[in-house]
Each structure stands twice: as structure tokens, then as C-alpha cells.
Amino acid sequence: MKQITLPGTDLRVSRFSFGTASLLRVGSQRERHRLLAAAYDNGFTHFDTAPYYGFGVAEHDLRAVLAARPEATVATKVGLYSPAGEQQPAPLVVLRKAVGKIIPAVSRPIVDWSVERARVALSASLRRLGRERVDLYLLHEPELHLLDTDEWLRWLEGERDRVRWFGIALNTARLGPFVQEASPLAPVIQTFDSTSAREADIVVNAGRPLQMTYGYVSAARQEERFDINALLGGALQRNRTGSIIVSTRKIDRLAQYGDIAARSDTGDS
């Protein structure tokens, strides 16, 4: 799979990045590890995760893959934390998420925008990932008015030994203020987009290239039928400069993403 340099950074990532938000649904830890390793073998060199994904399980699962493939890059996040912490065993996490469908408070994320909590969270994420430095550290669904921008910026700039690049990961409903005020917390923007509504135009209209986008398949699922090849080919044509986060629970589908990327980058999509 073709790699690109993420605009505004020196970070080399694959055209499709592998998202781990639903990794826990794959099954056993062995099955999850097999899927992650197969993703890399099929050209995914960048992985997107967060402490809230699987309540810490997703970060921990990535550890073995990243250890065996030190050239792979990884993004994790800060600001949203797991109820009852990120050290819960996977079966308990599954139970908590199931109960959360009936009682939302059981699985609702804890929101904390204090730098003190973030400092501890970064250390914990690095331990789970088995890395000394994270390639991309993203504020997870932030709201600009809740942040002390100067304090966060001083801290992130001071963490260059542990944070290669930082930015924000959020849906477009919260993105406006960061773009309008040209927030220094957002040198990298990861945001929702679709080929129909083109939500990420808020970034493009501000004169910025698209960097990390996601949501194309989930948006299309609201329609009765869609062609995954045409959909993601169109997404790659829309986000020509960055990387698109996708996911699957089936190993045999991974090669399809590489084929789609190859056709798109040669103009055959």
C-alpha cells in the first residue's frame, strides 16, 4: 500500500490506516493479534487507537504488533478515559459494554481536560503500547472552551521526547472553533467525513489539506446499498493528501483495501 507524508509533518503513514475502535468485537486476544498482524502484512503501517477503545484493551493488543514491527506508526488519544480504568480484563470490558447499552452511564467515557491527568495518561498509554514515544497524540473529542490552550500547548511542546506530533481528533460539530481560531493545538486534524455530505470541507475551506479522515463506511451504511470499492475509491480521491482510517474484523478483507488504494493511486478507481 502506498505511503504518504502526512501534510504538515514528517510522519509517513499508509493511505489507509487501521482503526481499533471496534477491535474488542473480533473475539479472543489471539484472534485480535492475528488481525492486527495481518493488517500490517497487507500494507497498513499506521494504527489508530485510544485508551477508551476497549477500555485499554486496544492499546494493549497493539503492543505485540508494534514490538515486532518497530517501523509501524501509532496514534493514541487523551481526554476521554474508561469508566473503572484501562486495566480491566477483556471479559469484564465486554460485560460492561453490554450493560452500558441498557444503562449508558456504565460505559460512558470519563471526560477530563486537566493536564495533570493527561501526563499520567500518556505514561500509561506508552506502557500499554510498549513504546517510549507515540507518533501522533490526539486530543479526543475536545471542546475548545473547556481547554486551557496555553497550558496544554506548553505541556505538549515539552513532551517532545514522548510525543512526536500532536493534534485533535473530533467530529465536525466540534471542529469549527479550532479551525476558525487557527488553534495551535491542531497542527494535525483527524475528523469525520463522508463522500455525500463532505463534512470535512470545513478544513478544506480554511485552506488546509485533509490529513486524517474517517467515517466513510459508517455514513454509507445508512443507505440501503453501496459498493465498498467505489465508496473508498471516492474517499481516497477526496482525501488525496492524507490517510483514511478504516477497520474490519475479517482478515480476508484486508487485501481488498490494498487493492482499492492501488487502483485509486493509479487513477483506475
Side-chain angles (χ1 to χ4, degrees):
M1 192 185 299
K2 181 181 178 181
Q3 292 191 336
I4 53 94
T5 299
L6 200 65
T9 77
D10 62 357
L11 189 60
R12 294 286 292 175
V13 298
S14 45
R15 283 286 275 141
F16 282 125
S17 297
F18 194 85
T20 63
S22 60
L23 184 63
L24 195 60
R25 300 177 190 172
V26 171
S28 68
Q29 184 182 65
R30 182 178 179 180
E31 291 171 318
R32 299 194 301 270
H33 284 181
R34 285 182 63 239
L35 178 66
L36 292 170
Y40 184 87
D41 291 342
N42 278 276
F44 291 85
T45 64
H46 183 73
F47 295 86
D48 179 78
T49 193
Y52 185 61
Y53 296 169
F55 299 171
V57 172
E59 284 185 324
H60 189 270
D61 281 344
L62 275 168
R63 183 186 183 101
V65 176
L66 296 174
R69 300 158 180 84
E71 66 279 7
T73 57
V74 63
T76 194
K77 305 180 183 74
V78 63
L80 298 188
Y81 305 100
S82 309
E86 287 81 29
Q87 299 300 322
Q88 303 167 69
L92 181 58
V93 174
V94 172
L95 177 61
R96 181 178 287 275
K97 285 181 173 290
V99 174
K101 294 179 180 179
I102 303 171
I103 309 173
V106 172
S107 60
R108 185 177 297 135
I110 295 170
V111 181
D112 189 333
W113 291 113
S114 67
V115 169
E116 291 78 10
R117 177 71 179 268
R119 186 177 292 109
V120 174
L122 174 58
S123 297
S125 285
L126 290 172
R127 282 196 301 272
R128 285 189 293 273
L129 291 167
R131 288 234 164 148
E132 296 182 355
R133 192 186 196 195
V134 65
D135 299 288
L136 186 54
Y137 202 46
L138 301 170
L139 279 66
H140 202 176
E141 296 295 342
E143 295 183 64
L144 187 57
H145 71 278
L146 297 178
L147 299 173
D148 183 330
T149 298
D150 291 340
E151 182 183 25
W152 271 91
L153 191 61
R154 284 194 303 272
W155 177 65
L156 289 166
E157 291 286 2
E159 288 283 4
R160 287 299 187 180
D161 287 344
R162 300 198 297 170
V163 174
R164 185 173 172 187
W165 290 96
F166 61 82
I168 57 176
L170 72 180
N171 60 44
T172 45
R174 296 180 176 182
L175 180 56
F178 287 93
V179 174
Q180 293 158 11
E181 297 187 22
S183 172
L185 293 175
V188 176
I189 295 176
Q190 180 170 301
T191 192
F192 182 89
D193 190 36
S194 68
T195 55
S196 54
R198 301 171 66 92
E199 291 87 348
D201 275 354
I202 187 173
V203 177
V204 177
N205 293 339
R208 295 187 54 165
L210 294 180
Q211 293 165 304
M212 308 293 295
T213 54
Y214 64 90
Y216 300 97
V217 176
S218 61
R221 280 185 180 140
Q222 298 179 21
E223 304 174 8
E224 289 187 6
R225 300 175 63 182
F226 65 92
D227 182 325
I228 188 70
N229 293 282
L231 174 67
L232 290 179
L236 287 167
Q237 291 301 309
R238 173 158 167 72
N239 183 356
R240 292 175 176 269
T241 54
S243 182
I244 293 171
I245 300 170
V246 295
S247 185
T248 182
R249 286 178 269 170
K250 297 182 179 180
I251 288 177
D252 58 3
R253 290 186 180 176
L254 290 168
Q256 183 179 14
Y257 290 107
D259 292 341
I260 293 170
R263 289 196 301 271
S264 176
D265 287 330
T266 57
D268 295 331
S269 61

